[in-house]
Amino acid sequence: FCDSLTMANWSLAAATVFYLVLGHHPPHSFATAFVHHHHRPPSSSTTAQARSQQVATTTTLLQMTSPELEQLKALGLQLPPAPGPAANYIPIQRDGNLLYMSGHIPFLNDGKQLLTGKIGPNGHKTVQEGQEAARQVALNLIASLQSYLNGDLSRVQQIVKLFGVVHSTDDFDEQHRVMNGCSDVFVSVFGQERGMHARSAIGVNALPLGVSVEIEAIVRIKD
């Protein structure tokens, strides 16, 4: 049988849920009373169980699969960890069904090393090396999408546009070819209909951390 203290806690909890369902904040006195009655801290076994459930949920998300991820495997590609912000911004901003993705850079699969260097003639990085960097940026963008969508890449309805910035010499004018490294990944992974996109590519004489390419994206998703 429950003692009076437990019964009081259940009554307060039920009343609190009732207020929240109606869209109202429960009276402050409820919270005060609950704290007063529920003075005993959770046991170590309860805390351990909660942590275990959190780890299990995270593992489940990481193990989720989809046709898009299967296509990546078929291409011999692997997603790096979803990159976090390096300054005062967020990786993805949603407006309606559009996701505006901040500029991503070519982190390798360890999430730490970067592909760096200026692209151009006379001893600089080649077009092919630039395409490799752009391809790696595409994988970072997809990793961010996967994280934002809780593993469900099937919610990606359309890759709307890519904007690429290529770290290049003054006399280099093949930025569009470098960007094909990114575009090819999106079309291969999401298919011609969903993956084909509008695109811009420009060259600059410097990029943050000396990376070879930075790319941002606009993506439309399903609810």
Side-chain angles (χ1 to χ4, degrees):
F1 294 99
C2 297
D3 58 26
S4 59
L5 178 61
T6 303
M7 291 298 295
N9 282 337
W10 275 107
S11 298
L12 288 166
T16 301
V17 170
F18 176 75
Y19 269 88
L20 292 174
V21 168
L22 293 178
H24 301 297
H25 292 292
H28 179 69
S29 58
F30 278 27
T32 303
F34 187 82
V35 170
H36 174 73
H37 287 294
H38 196 67
H39 63 281
R40 290 174 292 189
S43 66
S44 58
S45 61
T46 302
T47 303
Q49 183 179 11
R51 288 176 179 170
S52 177
Q53 289 174 346
Q54 184 179 17
V55 170
T57 300
T58 301
T59 303
T60 300
L61 285 175
L62 291 174
Q63 292 176 341
M64 288 179 69
T65 187
S66 67
E68 295 81 8
L69 294 179
E70 291 300 323
Q71 183 61 20
L72 278 169
K73 290 180 182 178
L75 294 169
L77 299 175
Q78 180 182 352
L79 293 182
N88 190 20
Y89 65 91
I90 55 176
I92 298 178
Q93 179 67 272
R94 181 172 180 174
D95 183 12
N97 280 7
L98 289 178
L99 302 182
Y100 292 84
M101 305 187 70
S102 297
H104 281 53
I105 56 179
F107 279 107
L108 296 178
N109 289 346
D110 63 2
K112 298 176 181 178
Q113 298 183 74
L114 288 162
L115 293 176
T116 60
K118 187 174 289 191
I119 300 166
N122 302 321
H124 292 93
K125 298 286 186 177
T126 65
V127 169
Q128 290 72 29
E129 288 173 311
Q131 289 173 339
E132 180 185 352
R135 183 164 48 250
Q136 197 63 32
V137 176
L139 297 177
N140 278 266
L141 285 162
I142 294 172
S144 287
L145 280 172
Q146 183 192 35
S147 176
Y148 186 86
L149 298 172
N150 294 321
D152 189 5
L153 288 173
S154 67
R155 289 180 60 195
V156 174
Q157 190 174 53
Q158 185 69 55
I159 307 300
V160 179
K161 185 176 182 181
L162 301 179
F163 179 75
V165 185
V166 180
H167 186 186
S168 48
T169 59
D170 293 342
D171 53 352
F172 182 76
D173 59 3
E174 296 187 273
Q175 288 82 5
H176 58 293
R177 290 184 58 201
V178 170
M179 277 295 294
N180 281 342
C182 182
S183 294
D184 290 349
V185 171
F186 276 108
V187 173
S188 296
V189 171
F190 293 100
Q192 186 75 19
E193 184 176 346
R194 295 160 64 208
M196 186 54 73
H197 47 270
R199 193 183 79 182
S200 298
I202 64 170
V204 297
N205 63 6
L207 277 174
L209 305 178
V211 297
S212 298
V213 183
E214 180 173 356
I215 302 171
E216 59 184 53
I218 302 173
V219 179
R220 185 169 67 247
I221 61 171
K222 304 172 187 177
D223 286 328

